[in-house]
């Protein structure tokens, strides 16, 4: 049954220059849950197969709106973490979608 209050799901796939950074990144990203009020939920998954097309980490967050996602991205804790994270990334892919269920 569709909801009147769709949640925005933000999915980020990350590939690191050094695959070993994925574990620390996951721990740091997980710490944002409960620190940044704009996050409804946060899930981190590390890749286990390391195939040639694999990314190393998948982060999924949910938000009440696109404005809440933007507020999360601009939060000082997120911006501080990004200073550590971004230089370590070889690639990143993002999908944002509204869950109408």
């Amino acid at each position: 049954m569709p909801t009147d209050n769709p949640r925005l799901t933000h999915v980020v796939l990350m590939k690191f220059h050094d695959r070993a950074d994925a574990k620390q990144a996951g721990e740091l990203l997980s710490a944002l849950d409960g620190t940044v009020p704009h996050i409804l939920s946060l899930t981190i998954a590390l890749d286990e197969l390391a195939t040639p097309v694999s990314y190393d980490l998948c982060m999924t967050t949910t938000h009440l709106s696109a404005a809440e996602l933007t507020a999360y991205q601009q939060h000082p804790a997120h911006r501080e973490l990004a200073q550590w994270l971004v230089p370590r990334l070889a690639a990143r892919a993002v999908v944002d979608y509204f869950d109408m269920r």
Side-chain angles (χ1 to χ4, degrees):
M1 172 179 285
T3 180
D4 291 336
N5 299 315
R7 301 290 193 247
L8 179 65
T9 299
H10 175 64
V11 180
V12 184
L13 300 175
M14 301 176 205
K15 183 179 283 285
F16 291 86
H17 293 290
D18 179 353
R19 184 175 169 83
D21 285 333
K23 183 176 186 217
Q24 184 176 0
E27 292 168 359
L28 293 169
L29 289 162
S30 291
L32 293 176
D33 195 17
T35 301
V36 179
H38 313 286
I39 299 171
L40 291 178
S41 68
L42 185 148
T43 304
I44 300 293
L46 299 177
D47 179 66
E48 298 192 23
L49 300 182
T51 70
V53 297
S54 294
Y55 277 68
D56 303 315
L57 182 147
C58 176
M59 178 186 77
T60 305
T61 60
T62 58
H63 308 271
L64 289 174
S65 66
E68 287 290 296
L69 171 60
T70 298
Y72 152 67
Q73 292 169 327
Q74 294 175 352
H75 190 280
H78 179 270
R79 294 174 73 87
E80 181 179 341
L81 175 53
Q83 290 179 346
W84 177 88
L85 183 67
V86 171
R88 289 167 170 77
L89 292 176
R92 176 175 50 182
V94 176
V95 174
D96 297 305
Y97 64 93
F98 285 99
D99 187 348
M100 305 303 281
R101 291 178 280 160

